[in-house]
Amino acid sequence: MGPPGSSQSAELGSSGPLKGLYPTIRERNAVMFNNDLMADVHFVVGPPGGTQRLPGHKYVLAVGSSVFHAMFYGELAEDKDEIRIPDVDPAAFLAMLKYIYCDEIDLAADTVLATLYAAKKYIVPHLARACVNFLETSLSAKNACVLLSQSCLFEEPDLTQRCWEVIDAQAELALKSEGFCDIDFQTLESILRRETLNAKEIVVFEAALNWAEVECQRQDLALSIENKRKVLGKALYLIRIPTMALDDFANGAAQSGVLTLNETNDIFLWYTAAKKPELQFVSKARKGLVPQRCHRFQSCAYRSNQWRYRGRCDSIQFAVDKRVFIAGFGLYGSSCGSAEYSAKIELKRQGVVLGQNLSKYFSDGSSSTFPVWFEYPVQIEPDTFYTASVILDGNELSYFGQEGMTEVQCGKVTVQFQCSSDSTNGTGVQGGQIPELIFYA
């Protein structure tokens, strides 16, 4: 039963909320949530111009939070009827009160960070843990950079670690997200320093310039090349410009205007000269991430009349026991000499397409597997089945897998396989195409 609104307060007052109507203490407390009836304290919550006046009951609050206990009953307690809290969002404060009064955790994506702040401020550990769990499960490339900067403030190492996992594996998506421009300078530096970023350096460079543009606006500076360089400061030298592909440098960074003529000249010499100049930029490429390969067949074969494609779909379902990022598939190729294939790859969860790509790969006629990649790695949640599919066009006679396994241990990740109803070309658990999942863990 939901707590009555303030309009029912008078009615409750006349009948009395505790006349046996509510059998449990949780229900009796819930009646008093956000209720002026018998309130002995009020909070004015939120910044000036956006405040909300909320009622409270000292006993309930003191039992739910050691901070409220000290505030109302401790040695330094002040007997105020109204307490101003300008640094907490009203919706977040209400979410905390709802937990204290009703034992209900009601979190939303747009208020969960503010609720975590409130839970930390008033030492409500179970609610804080629930906020962190919510953030960890809703973490994506779009919000990972912003959450990284927040998780450092909140001193939540597990959340920080999860943010880095997403930022490393899906670096290009994270760097191109709108949220990247909202991070503070310290977080920008830590991302630009990151050895394991799985991104082209030109993408890192462009992301830093996008951040600098927004930072100029934040500082009320004119949008000029000079000011962009000014707000980046020494962080500019954390971008590993000399490790870019030469054409990325020549067509991008060299013409951006951010570098001085001397820097541009020295970097061109770095690419081409035998005697390389001293550079302020880091000139050693990032390590990035090493992809893992989960191979599901124990052997492979070919026959004179198999494996044929003709636009049909080869598909398999899989599930993992730990969160991973699928980067692509390893596929078999031609069994009669070298050949080029066109591959349309797709990854779905419950019918929803999460990633797809159309690419070509060259098969040298061996029984090796050949990688095909998604544009960006796709985050895969544990304990749910996903569908991996490929439609191939090319030499019809190719290798195919045999003696397939339903479960494969790959490093610390266990992968389970099952047949897919999308498969119209014979691929299943026992044999067929898609011998490998390529992933980051």
Side-chain angles (χ1 to χ4, degrees):
M1 182 171 190
S6 53
S7 63
Q8 292 169 285
S9 297
E11 186 189 324
L12 280 167
S14 58
S15 65
L18 305 178
K19 287 192 173 178
L21 293 174
Y22 304 98
T24 68
I25 194 164
R26 192 191 73 81
E27 287 172 288
R28 293 195 284 277
N29 262 357
V31 174
M32 307 312 289
F33 164 62
N34 199 18
N35 192 334
D36 268 310
L37 185 69
M38 294 191 283
D40 50 1
V41 67
H42 282 81
F43 301 97
V44 178
V45 187
T51 60
Q52 218 172 315
R53 193 169 185 271
L54 302 171
H57 306 78
K58 291 179 180 178
Y59 162 72
V60 179
L61 294 167
V63 170
S65 154
S66 56
V67 175
F68 283 132
H69 184 274
M71 190 185 289
F72 302 136
Y73 302 110
E75 287 178 23
L76 302 173
E78 292 181 49
D79 196 19
K80 285 183 183 174
D81 291 335
E82 195 170 270
I83 295 166
R84 293 189 174 275
I85 306 174
D87 59 328
V88 176
D89 175 73
F93 195 80
L94 267 173
M96 182 179 70
L97 292 186
K98 191 170 189 179
Y99 169 70
I100 290 173
Y101 278 79
C102 313
D103 222 12
E104 281 180 40
I105 294 174
D106 191 5
L107 300 174
D110 55 346
T111 56
V112 64
L113 275 171
T115 305
L116 176 58
Y117 176 78
K120 289 264 186 181
K121 176 171 178 168
Y122 292 99
I123 312 179
V124 187
H126 187 70
L127 179 62
R129 185 73 248 153
C131 290
V132 171
N133 288 344
F134 182 95
L135 289 167
E136 285 182 356
T137 52
S138 61
L139 196 53
S140 71
K142 285 182 183 174
N143 62 10
C145 295
V146 172
L147 287 181
L148 176 71
S149 60
Q150 299 287 344
S151 68
C152 297
L153 294 174
F154 290 131
E155 296 178 334
E156 285 290 343
D158 291 349
L159 181 57
T160 302
Q161 178 57 32
R162 271 285 293 123
C163 289
W164 277 125
E165 285 172 17
V166 173
I167 292 165
D168 278 345
Q170 295 182 304
E172 295 200 354
L173 274 176
L175 292 167
K176 289 175 180 177
S177 69
E178 282 181 35
F180 180 78
C181 294
D182 297 331
I183 62 177
D184 59 284
F185 184 74
Q186 196 177 349
T187 306
L188 174 77
E189 281 191 312
S190 66
I191 292 172
L192 295 182
R193 276 199 183 93
R194 190 77 175 166
E195 189 67 40
T196 39
L197 276 189
N198 186 34
K200 289 180 185 156
E201 206 63 28
I202 186 68
V203 175
V204 179
F205 178 79
E206 287 167 353
L209 285 195
N210 289 340
W211 178 89
E213 191 171 311
V214 176
E215 182 65 14
C216 284
Q217 292 166 356
R218 279 192 285 262
Q219 294 188 23
D220 288 328
L221 296 171
L223 273 183
S224 66
I225 294 291
E226 293 75 27
N227 283 338
K228 284 185 192 177
R229 178 159 180 141
K230 180 184 171 185
V231 297
L232 280 170
K234 288 185 178 176
L236 179 66
Y237 298 114
L238 299 174
I239 305 167
R240 306 187 182 193
I241 293 175
T243 71
M244 286 180 189
L246 180 54
D247 60 336
D248 281 346
F249 173 68
N251 297 317
Q255 296 188 46
S256 66
V258 174
L259 305 177
T260 66
L261 282 174
N262 273 348
E263 285 168 346
T264 305
N265 187 51
D266 281 352
I267 294 169
F268 268 122
L269 288 173
W270 171 268
Y271 282 108
T272 53
K275 188 183 178 188
K276 299 190 184 302
E278 285 282 318
L279 297 176
Q280 282 186 276
F281 295 91
V282 179
S283 54
K284 187 182 171 194
R286 298 177 199 273
K287 285 179 185 168
L289 292 175
V290 179
Q292 297 184 44
R293 291 173 180 247
C294 172
H295 197 90
R296 67 188 190 92
F297 296 123
Q298 296 177 76
S299 66
C300 69
Y302 67 90
R303 298 193 194 102
S304 58
N305 62 346
Q306 284 185 307
W307 191 269
R308 295 179 181 276
Y309 296 111
R310 294 178 186 165
R312 289 191 291 258
C313 179
D314 286 290
S315 185
I316 191 76
Q317 287 197 318
F318 69 92
V320 290
D321 64 340
K322 291 181 181 64
R323 187 181 284 107
V324 300
F325 300 85
I326 294 286
F329 307 145
L331 301 176
Y332 289 123
S334 169
S335 59
C336 48
S338 58
E340 187 177 64
Y341 286 86
S342 165
K344 182 188 176 188
I345 59 170
E346 195 173 69
L347 197 56
K348 289 195 293 193
R349 179 184 181 180
Q350 294 167 348
V352 178
V353 176
L354 304 176
Q356 57 184 6
N357 207 6
L358 184 62
S359 61
K360 294 187 184 304
Y361 69 96
F362 180 77
S363 156
D364 61 7
S366 73
S367 59
S368 306
T369 58
F370 303 93
V372 289
W373 307 93
F374 289 105
E375 186 178 2
Y376 302 110
V378 180
Q379 182 167 290
I380 299 295
E381 298 300 325
D383 306 322
T384 181
F385 274 94
Y386 290 77
T387 306
S389 302
V390 60
I391 297 173
L392 284 167
D393 187 21
N395 194 330
E396 290 214 334
L397 300 177
S398 82
Y399 286 90
F400 57 92
Q402 297 185 131
E403 301 177 278
M405 295 173 279
T406 53
E407 190 173 291
V408 180
Q409 188 70 33
C410 195
K412 293 180 179 177
V413 181
T414 304
V415 188
Q416 287 183 300
F417 293 96
Q418 68 180 27
C419 291
S420 163
S421 58
D422 289 0
S423 196
T424 55
N425 198 42
T427 287
V429 174
Q430 294 302 314
Q433 254 292 5
I434 319 182
E436 281 180 341
L437 300 176
I438 306 172
F439 66 95
Y440 304 112

